[in-house]
Amino acid sequence: MLGAEDVLDPPPRRVLVAGTTGVGKTTTAGRIARALGIPHTEIDSLFHGPDWEPRPTFEADVDAYSAEPAWVTEWQYSQVRAMLAARADTLVWLDLPVPVAFWRLLRRTVRRRVRRIELWNGNVEPPLWTFFTNRDHIIRWGMRTRRKMQQMVPAVERTAPHLRIVRLRSRADVDAWVDRLPRPSE
């Protein structure tokens, strides 16, 4: 497994960003895409239809964009993880400490709810009190799955040996790694 100071040669062209809920996968994926000058497709926008219903074209949409020569996306959703891992050349694992991830998730969820920020296809975060009534509330989901990547990433390292895995353990690691990516004009 590689770290923040390791140089990737050749530069990544098909990048997955992995991590538990709240670690900043989408933000980091966007930063990587801008740095490399390649498209970022937010996988949640393809999965969630109106009223949080899964979109029937999700798998076909993921198949289409991941067949392209260059892209960045988040490594989520069990039904497409294997396909994405087979097509990617790099997986960036945001392995931030659990308290950091939880605080980010809590802050993000409250901000989105209070401001009624539209996420995907008209969806907004549900009322905060649903934390107590909905087993799959995003904060409860984040708490329940906080260590999931610690099994999944080492497993994909064995099943997809072509994949370069970069493990970033702090915000400073993320910043250093993204800052070292070659820019399109380089």
Side-chain angles (χ1 to χ4, degrees):
M1 223 172 270
L2 304 170
E5 297 304 315
D6 292 306
V7 175
L8 298 182
D9 188 26
R13 300 303 296 159
R14 293 175 158 195
V15 183
L16 295 170
V17 180
T20 59
T21 302
V23 294
K25 291 182 301 294
T26 301
T27 299
T28 302
R31 288 181 63 197
I32 293 168
R34 285 187 301 280
L36 295 172
I38 60 179
H40 168 225
T41 299
E42 187 176 354
I43 200 165
D44 279 331
S45 70
L46 299 179
F47 183 80
H48 295 291
D51 298 319
W52 297 103
E53 290 295 318
R55 294 178 61 246
T57 61
F58 172 64
E59 290 180 54
D61 292 343
V62 172
D63 180 50
Y65 83 74
S66 66
E68 295 296 321
W71 46 263
V72 181
T73 196
E74 302 81 18
W75 193 48
Q76 299 179 164
Y77 303 105
S78 59
Q79 61 268 51
V80 296
R81 271 198 182 105
M83 174 180 31
L84 289 170
R87 293 178 176 178
D89 59 50
T90 306
L91 183 141
V92 177
W93 177 16
L94 303 180
D95 189 21
L96 278 58
V98 170
V100 171
F102 179 75
W103 175 246
R104 284 181 172 189
L105 174 62
L106 179 63
R107 191 175 64 214
R108 177 191 83 182
T109 302
V110 169
R111 179 179 42 81
R112 285 176 173 178
R113 177 58 197 173
V114 168
R115 295 181 182 168
R116 308 257 324 136
I117 295 170
E118 183 178 325
L119 301 173
W120 314 279
N121 303 307
N123 296 310
V124 295
E125 294 283 0
L128 295 173
W129 60 263
T130 61
F131 168 84
F132 300 104
T133 60
N134 181 353
R135 182 179 188 278
D136 289 328
H137 186 281
I138 192 67
I139 294 173
R140 289 176 71 176
W141 172 263
M143 291 167 36
R144 192 169 63 247
T145 62
R146 68 189 176 275
R147 301 197 192 284
K148 185 166 80 171
M149 287 295 135
Q150 292 174 342
Q151 286 93 36
M152 292 180 70
V153 174
V156 80
E157 191 173 31
R158 291 185 297 276
T159 61
H162 70 282
L163 204 55
R164 297 177 294 186
I165 299 176
V166 180
R167 186 177 192 180
L168 304 176
R169 297 175 182 241
S170 68
R171 175 67 184 224
D173 279 358
V174 173
D175 291 343
W177 190 80
V178 171
D179 289 346
R180 294 181 75 218
L181 290 172
R183 300 314 192 242
S185 61
E186 294 179 4

